[in-house]
Coordinates of all heavy atoms in Angstrom, one line a residue:
M976 N 127.9 42.7 149.1 CA 127.4 42.4 147.8 C 127.8 43.5 146.7 O 128.2 43.2 145.7 CB 125.9 42.2 147.9 CG 125.3 41.8 146.5 SD 125.9 40.2 146.0 CE 124.4 39.6 145.4
L977 N 127.5 44.7 147.1 CA 127.9 45.8 146.2 C 129.4 45.8 145.9 O 129.8 46.1 144.7 CB 127.4 47.2 146.8 CG 127.6 48.4 145.9 CD1 126.9 48.2 144.5 CD2 127.1 49.6 146.6
R978 N 130.2 45.5 146.9 CA 131.6 45.5 146.7 C 132.0 44.5 145.6 O 132.8 44.7 144.7 CB 132.3 45.1 148.0 CG 133.8 44.9 147.9 CD 134.4 44.4 149.2 NE 134.0 43.1 149.6 CZ 134.5 42.0 149.1 NH1 135.5 42.0 148.3 NH2 134.1 40.8 149.6
R979 N 131.3 43.3 145.6 CA 131.6 42.3 144.6 C 131.1 42.7 143.2 O 131.8 42.4 142.2 CB 131.0 40.9 145.0 CG 131.7 40.3 146.2 CD 131.1 39.0 146.7 NE 130.9 38.1 145.6 CZ 130.1 37.1 145.6 NH1 129.4 36.9 146.7 NH2 129.9 36.3 144.6
I980 N 129.9 43.3 143.2 CA 129.4 43.7 141.9 C 130.3 44.8 141.2 O 130.6 44.7 140.0 CB 128.0 44.3 142.0 CG1 127.0 43.2 142.4 CG2 127.5 45.0 140.8 CD1 125.6 43.7 142.9
A981 N 130.8 45.7 142.0 CA 131.7 46.8 141.5 C 133.1 46.3 141.3 O 133.9 47.0 140.6 CB 131.7 47.9 142.5
G982 N 133.4 45.1 141.8 CA 134.8 44.5 141.6 C 135.8 45.1 142.5 O 137.0 45.0 142.2
H983 N 135.4 45.6 143.6 CA 136.4 46.2 144.6 C 136.9 45.0 145.5 O 136.2 44.2 145.9 CB 135.7 47.2 145.5 CG 135.2 48.4 144.7 ND1 134.1 49.1 145.1 CD2 135.6 49.0 143.6 CE1 133.9 50.1 144.3 NE2 134.8 50.0 143.3
G984 N 138.2 45.1 145.8 CA 138.8 44.1 146.6 C 138.6 44.4 148.1 O 138.5 43.5 148.9
S985 N 138.3 45.7 148.4 CA 138.2 46.0 149.8 C 136.9 46.8 150.0 O 136.5 47.6 149.2 CB 139.4 47.0 150.2 OG 139.1 47.6 151.4
P986 N 136.2 46.5 151.2 CA 135.0 47.2 151.5 C 135.3 48.7 151.7 O 134.4 49.6 151.4 CB 134.5 46.7 152.8 CG 135.2 45.3 152.9 CD 136.5 45.4 152.1
T987 N 136.5 49.1 152.1 CA 136.8 50.5 152.2 C 136.8 51.2 150.9 O 136.3 52.4 150.8 CB 138.3 50.6 152.8 OG1 138.3 49.9 154.0 CG2 138.6 52.0 153.0
T988 N 137.1 50.6 149.8 CA 137.0 51.2 148.5 C 135.6 51.5 148.1 O 135.3 52.6 147.6 CB 137.7 50.3 147.4 OG1 139.0 50.0 147.8 CG2 137.7 50.9 146.0
T989 N 134.7 50.5 148.4 CA 133.3 50.7 148.1 C 132.7 51.8 148.9 O 131.9 52.6 148.4 CB 132.5 49.4 148.3 OG1 133.2 48.3 147.6 CG2 131.1 49.5 147.9
Q990 N 133.1 51.9 150.2 CA 132.6 53.0 151.1 C 132.9 54.3 150.5 O 132.1 55.3 150.7 CB 133.1 52.8 152.5 CG 132.5 51.6 153.2 CD 133.2 51.3 154.5 OE1 134.3 51.9 154.8 NE2 132.6 50.4 155.3
R991 N 134.0 54.5 149.8 CA 134.4 55.8 149.3 C 133.3 56.3 148.3 O 133.2 57.5 148.1 CB 135.7 55.8 148.6 CG 136.9 55.8 149.5 CD 138.1 56.0 148.7 NE 139.1 54.9 149.2 CZ 140.0 54.4 148.5 NH1 140.2 54.7 147.2 NH2 140.8 53.5 149.0
Y992 N 132.6 55.4 147.6 CA 131.7 55.7 146.6 C 130.3 55.9 147.1 O 129.4 56.2 146.3 CB 131.8 54.7 145.4 CG 133.1 54.8 144.7 CD1 134.1 53.8 145.1 CD2 133.4 55.7 143.8 CE1 135.3 53.9 144.4 CE2 134.6 55.8 143.2 CZ 135.6 54.9 143.5 OH 136.8 54.9 142.9
L993 N 130.0 55.5 148.3 CA 128.7 55.5 148.8 C 128.3 56.9 149.4 O 129.2 57.5 150.1 CB 128.5 54.5 150.0 CG 128.6 53.0 149.5 CD1 128.5 52.1 150.7 CD2 127.6 52.7 148.5
H994 N 127.2 57.4 149.1 CA 126.7 58.7 149.5 C 125.3 58.6 150.0 O 124.5 57.8 149.5 CB 126.8 59.7 148.3 CG 128.1 59.8 147.7 ND1 129.1 60.5 148.2 CD2 128.5 59.3 146.5 CE1 130.2 60.4 147.4 NE2 129.8 59.7 146.4
P995 N 125.0 59.4 151.0 CA 123.6 59.4 151.5 C 122.6 60.0 150.6 O 121.4 59.8 150.8 CB 123.7 60.1 152.9 CG 124.9 61.0 152.7 CD 125.8 60.3 151.8
D996 N 123.0 60.6 149.5 CA 122.1 61.3 148.6 C 121.5 60.2 147.7 O 122.2 59.6 146.8 CB 122.8 62.3 147.8 CG 122.0 63.1 146.9 OD1 120.9 62.7 146.6 OD2 122.4 64.2 146.4
V997 N 120.2 60.0 147.7 CA 119.6 58.9 147.0 C 119.7 59.2 145.5 O 119.9 58.2 144.7 CB 118.1 58.8 147.4 CG1 117.4 57.8 146.4 CG2 118.0 58.4 148.8
R998 N 119.7 60.4 145.0 CA 119.8 60.7 143.6 C 121.2 60.3 143.1 O 121.4 59.8 142.0 CB 119.6 62.2 143.3 CG 118.1 62.5 143.5 CD 117.9 64.0 143.3 NE 118.5 64.7 144.5 CZ 118.6 66.0 144.7 NH1 118.1 66.8 143.8 NH2 119.1 66.4 145.8
K999 N 122.2 60.5 143.9 CA 123.6 60.2 143.5 C 123.8 58.6 143.5 O 124.4 58.1 142.6 CB 124.6 60.8 144.4 CG 124.8 62.3 144.2 CD 125.8 62.9 145.1 CE 126.0 64.3 144.9 NZ 127.1 64.9 145.7
I1000 N 123.2 58.0 144.4 CA 123.2 56.5 144.4 C 122.5 55.9 143.2 O 123.0 55.0 142.5 CB 122.6 56.0 145.7 CG1 123.5 56.3 146.9 CG2 122.5 54.4 145.7 CD1 122.9 56.0 148.3
T1001 N 121.4 56.5 142.9 CA 120.6 56.0 141.7 C 121.4 56.3 140.5 O 121.4 55.4 139.6 CB 119.2 56.7 141.7 OG1 118.5 56.4 142.9 CG2 118.4 56.2 140.5
A1002 N 122.0 57.5 140.3 CA 122.7 57.8 139.1 C 124.0 56.9 139.0 O 124.3 56.4 137.9 CB 123.2 59.2 139.1
A1003 N 124.6 56.6 140.1 CA 125.8 55.7 140.1 C 125.3 54.3 139.7 O 126.0 53.6 138.9 CB 126.5 55.6 141.5
G1004 N 124.2 53.8 140.2 CA 123.7 52.5 139.8 C 123.4 52.4 138.3 O 123.7 51.4 137.6
A1005 N 122.8 53.5 137.8 CA 122.5 53.5 136.3 C 123.7 53.6 135.5 O 123.8 52.9 134.5 CB 121.6 54.8 136.1
A1006 N 124.7 54.3 136.0 CA 126.0 54.3 135.2 C 126.7 53.0 135.3 O 127.2 52.5 134.2 CB 126.9 55.4 135.9
L1007 N 126.6 52.3 136.4 CA 127.2 50.9 136.5 C 126.5 50.0 135.6 O 127.1 49.2 134.9 CB 127.2 50.5 137.9 CG 127.9 49.2 138.2 CD1 129.4 49.3 137.9 CD2 127.8 48.8 139.7
S1008 N 125.2 50.1 135.5 CA 124.4 49.2 134.7 C 124.6 49.5 133.2 O 124.8 48.5 132.4 CB 122.8 49.4 134.9 OG 122.5 49.0 136.2
A1009 N 124.8 50.7 132.8 CA 125.1 51.1 131.5 C 126.5 50.6 131.1 O 126.7 50.1 130.0 CB 125.1 52.6 131.3
H1010 N 127.4 50.6 132.0 CA 128.8 50.1 131.8 C 128.7 48.6 131.5 O 129.3 48.1 130.5 CB 129.7 50.4 132.9 CG 131.0 49.8 132.9 ND1 132.0 50.3 132.0 CD2 131.5 48.7 133.5 CE1 133.1 49.5 132.1 NE2 132.8 48.5 133.0
F1011 N 128.0 47.9 132.3 CA 127.9 46.4 132.1 C 127.1 46.1 130.8 O 127.4 45.1 130.2 CB 127.3 45.7 133.3 CG 128.2 45.6 134.5 CD1 127.8 46.0 135.8 CD2 129.5 45.2 134.4 CE1 128.7 45.9 136.8 CE2 130.4 45.1 135.4 CZ 130.0 45.5 136.7
S1012 N 126.1 46.9 130.5 CA 125.3 46.6 129.3 C 126.2 46.8 128.1 O 126.1 46.1 127.1 CB 124.1 47.5 129.2 OG 123.2 47.2 130.2
A1013 N 127.1 47.8 128.1 CA 128.0 48.1 127.0 C 129.0 46.9 126.8 O 129.3 46.6 125.7 CB 128.7 49.4 127.2
L1014 N 129.4 46.4 127.9 CA 130.3 45.3 127.8 C 129.7 44.0 127.2 O 130.4 43.3 126.5 CB 130.9 44.9 129.2 CG 131.8 45.9 129.9 CD1 132.2 45.5 131.3 CD2 133.1 46.1 129.0
R1015 N 128.4 43.8 127.5 CA 127.7 42.7 127.0 C 127.1 42.8 125.6 O 126.8 41.9 125.0 CB 126.5 42.3 127.9 CG 127.0 41.6 129.2 CD 125.9 41.1 130.0 NE 125.9 41.8 131.3 CZ 125.0 42.5 131.9 NH1 123.9 42.6 131.3 NH2 125.2 43.0 133.0
A1016 N 127.0 44.1 125.1 CA 126.4 44.3 123.8 C 127.3 43.8 122.7 O 128.5 43.8 122.8 CB 126.3 45.8 123.6
P1017 N 126.6 43.2 121.7 CA 127.4 42.6 120.6 C 128.1 43.8 119.8 O 127.6 44.9 119.7 CB 126.4 41.9 119.7 CG 125.1 42.5 120.1 CD 125.2 43.0 121.5
R1018 N 129.3 43.5 119.4 CA 130.0 44.5 118.7 C 129.6 44.5 117.2 O 129.3 43.5 116.7 CB 131.5 44.3 118.7 CG 132.1 44.3 120.1 CD 133.6 44.2 120.1 NE 134.1 44.0 121.5 CZ 134.3 45.0 122.4 NH1 134.0 46.2 122.1 NH2 134.8 44.7 123.5
S1019 N 129.4 45.7 116.7 CA 128.9 45.7 115.3 C 130.1 45.4 114.3 O 131.2 45.7 114.6 CB 128.3 47.1 115.0 OG 129.3 48.1 115.1
L1020 N 129.7 44.8 113.2 CA 130.7 44.4 112.2 C 130.9 45.6 111.3 O 130.0 46.5 111.1 CB 130.2 43.3 111.4 CG 129.9 42.0 112.2 CD1 129.3 40.9 111.3 CD2 131.3 41.5 112.7
P1021 N 132.1 45.8 110.7 CA 132.3 46.9 109.8 C 131.4 46.8 108.6 O 131.0 45.7 108.2 CB 133.8 46.7 109.4 CG 134.2 45.4 109.8 CD 133.2 44.9 110.9
S1022 N 131.1 47.9 108.0 CA 130.3 47.9 106.8 C 131.0 47.2 105.7 O 132.2 47.2 105.5 CB 130.0 49.3 106.3 OG 129.3 50.0 107.4
P1023 N 130.2 46.5 104.8 CA 130.8 45.7 103.7 C 131.4 46.7 102.7 O 130.9 47.8 102.5 CB 129.7 44.9 103.2 CG 128.4 45.6 103.6 CD 128.8 46.3 104.9
I1024 N 132.4 46.3 102.0 CA 133.0 47.1 101.0 C 132.4 46.7 99.7 O 132.3 45.6 99.3 CB 134.6 46.9 100.9 CG1 135.2 47.3 102.2 CG2 135.2 47.6 99.7 CD1 136.7 46.9 102.3
V1025 N 131.9 47.7 99.0 CA 131.2 47.5 97.7 C 132.2 47.9 96.6 O 132.6 49.0 96.6 CB 129.9 48.4 97.6 CG1 129.2 48.2 96.3 CG2 129.0 48.0 98.8
M1026 N 132.4 46.9 95.7 CA 133.3 47.2 94.6 C 132.5 47.6 93.4 O 131.5 47.0 93.1 CB 134.0 45.9 94.3 CG 134.8 45.3 95.4 SD 136.2 46.3 95.9 CE 137.3 46.0 94.6
T1027 N 132.9 48.7 92.8 CA 132.2 49.1 91.5 C 133.2 49.2 90.4 O 134.4 49.3 90.6 CB 131.6 50.5 91.7 OG1 132.6 51.5 92.1 CG2 130.5 50.5 92.8
R1028 N 132.7 49.0 89.2 CA 133.7 49.0 88.1 C 133.6 50.3 87.3 O 132.7 51.0 87.3 CB 133.3 47.9 87.1 CG 133.5 46.6 87.7 CD 133.1 45.5 86.7 NE 133.0 44.3 87.5 CZ 133.3 43.1 86.9 NH1 133.6 43.0 85.7 NH2 133.2 42.1 87.6

């Protein structure tokens, strides 16, 4: 399942990123969540141009 979430084609690739350190696993999960959140976040529009005379 983690392999599919991370987009890895091979389980071997996913295994390279797995560590027995719970803090590192938690940090990696938070980084992955932040990455996906940034992809889903709406892009901001440029500020309007104000014309003055």
Side-chain angles (χ1 to χ4, degrees):
M976 179 68 136
L977 184 58
R978 176 183 65 85
R979 288 179 49 199
I980 292 171
H983 298 150
S985 166
T987 305
T988 304
T989 306
Q990 288 172 348
R991 282 189 228 153
Y992 295 98
L993 295 178
H994 303 282
D996 186 341
V997 174
R998 289 175 291 179
K999 288 183 180 181
I1000 293 171
T1001 302
L1007 187 59
S1008 293
H1010 173 74
F1011 285 131
S1012 293
L1014 290 177
R1015 283 188 239 124
R1018 300 189 190 277
S1019 61
L1020 298 174
S1022 300
I1024 298 172
V1025 178
M1026 302 294 284
T1027 59
R1028 295 179 194 211

